[in-house]
Structures are given as C-alpha cells and as structure tokens.
Amino acid sequence: YSDSVSNSCGGAKVINRLWSATDECGNSTNKAQLITVVDTRPPTLTLPPSVVLDCPASTAPSSTGTATAQDACSTATVSYSDVVTNGCGGTKVITRTWTATDPCGNSVSAQQTITLRDITAPTLVLPSNKTLQCPGDTRTNVTGVAVANDACGSVTLTYSDVVSNSCSFTKTVWRLWTATDQCGNSTNGVQTI
C-alpha cells in the first residue's frame, strides 16, 4: 500500500491509502481505503492552587501560579481571564478562569481563586513630645501632626486629647493619634505635650 496524507488541525488528518494486490503474472487490483483521524478530545488542564495573599502582593501569574495543559494529539495553548470583585481599600477577590485550547478548537476551562486581603495595620509616625511655656498653644500646627501610611489603601488620621490640669495654667495633654485604613485595621500612639 501507499498513503497520501492531508493534514488538518493539530494531529488530525485524512489518509487515502491505496492497496494493491499483484499476482505472480503481474495482474493487479487496486482499492482505496479512506482513514480519517479526528481530534474531538479537549486537552487536560492542571491548575495552580487557589491562594490568599496579603496586600500589596502581586496577583500576576508569576506570583500566583500558571496553569499547564497537555493534549494527546498536539500542543495546547493556555490563556486566562479575570473577574475582579473589589473589597475595602486595595483588597479583592479574583476569579481567574484558565482555558486550554488545542489547534482543532477543543478547549477546557477551570477556575482559580486569588484573594488579596489586608490584615496589616497602617504605619504611624508620631510627632515628638513637646514641652511648651505657659500658656502654651497645643494646636497641631504648633505641636506637630502624625504621619500615617498604608500599603493597601488610604488612611484616616484622627486624634483625641486627655488633659490633666496642674497648678495655675500648667497642664499635660496626652494626645492619642489613631491611623485607620479602609479595612478597619488601626494603629495608635500617644504624644505627650
């Protein structure tokens, strides 16, 4: 026999096989056989595990894992798409749909969940303690303002004073500074004036 092969997608093909039977006297007969190899089976997909990360970690596949695929008939292409549900601050839940597709269009999809959370309180740098001459101005433009930063979003900075009066006009002010991020994590510290 002899084959004439027409390749299709991936490993799929059509083989036209010509069979020949020849006797000792040179008489021959030919018949054609048509063999069709199809690819209707999707690739297999291996997902990275779902992960929980602390903000501001990267959610790129290089940090959270990449899906891999195998196909029995050819090579599969792997792609992904994200659906993002935003939470407080920079937190979010990402539903990452991985898809493996072979050259014949067979595909399989599965989902990985990536959770980006914020459990870290903001940083807080207090103004220095102050000693003022009586009567003393205890407003923040004189005594200083705390500085707060958060890796995952904005910060609200507040303060409250507890005042202890002493002799005449002397007093001690304990100023409690509080930094609160958008997810409710907070840090506080006391400045003494």
Side-chain angles (χ1 to χ4, degrees):
Y1 71 89
S2 63
D3 287 345
S4 173
V5 180
S6 299
N7 291 314
S8 181
C9 58
K13 57 191 162 191
V14 175
I15 301 169
N16 189 359
R17 181 163 287 164
L18 182 63
W19 290 95
S20 295
T22 305
D23 64 18
E24 293 175 356
C25 294
N27 302 309
S28 66
T29 302
N30 298 322
K31 292 286 184 179
Q33 176 189 21
L34 191 64
I35 302 166
T36 303
V37 179
V38 296
D39 181 3
T40 58
R41 189 178 315 152
T44 59
L45 183 64
T46 303
L47 286 182
S50 292
V51 293
V52 176
L53 305 170
D54 290 326
C55 193
S58 170
T59 58
S62 58
S63 298
T64 60
T66 302
T68 58
Q70 291 187 344
D71 189 68
C73 204
S74 57
T75 302
T77 302
V78 177
S79 61
Y80 72 91
S81 63
D82 288 346
V83 174
V84 179
T85 304
N86 291 313
C88 58
T91 65
K92 57 185 127 187
V93 175
I94 300 171
T95 303
R96 182 163 288 163
T97 302
W98 291 96
T99 302
T101 307
D102 70 18
C104 292
N106 302 304
S107 67
V108 62
S109 295
Q111 294 179 333
Q112 173 194 22
T113 301
I114 301 161
T115 303
L116 188 62
R117 65 183 182 174
D118 181 4
I119 59 171
T120 304
T123 60
L124 179 65
V125 179
L126 295 175
S128 61
N129 294 330
K130 299 285 185 190
T131 301
L132 306 171
Q133 282 297 330
C134 184
D137 184 350
T138 60
R139 292 178 300 167
T140 57
N141 60 338
V142 175
T143 60
V145 177
V147 176
N149 289 300
D150 189 67
C152 201
S154 62
V155 179
T156 301
L157 187 61
T158 60
Y159 71 89
S160 62
D161 289 346
V162 173
V163 179
S164 172
N165 292 313
S166 187
C167 62
S168 189
F169 289 106
T170 62
K171 59 186 170 187
T172 301
V173 177
W174 290 281
R175 182 160 289 158
L176 177 66
W177 290 95
T178 303
T180 306
D181 69 19
Q182 294 168 293
C183 294
N185 302 305
S186 64
T187 303
N188 55 42
V190 176
Q191 174 194 19
T192 303
I193 304 164

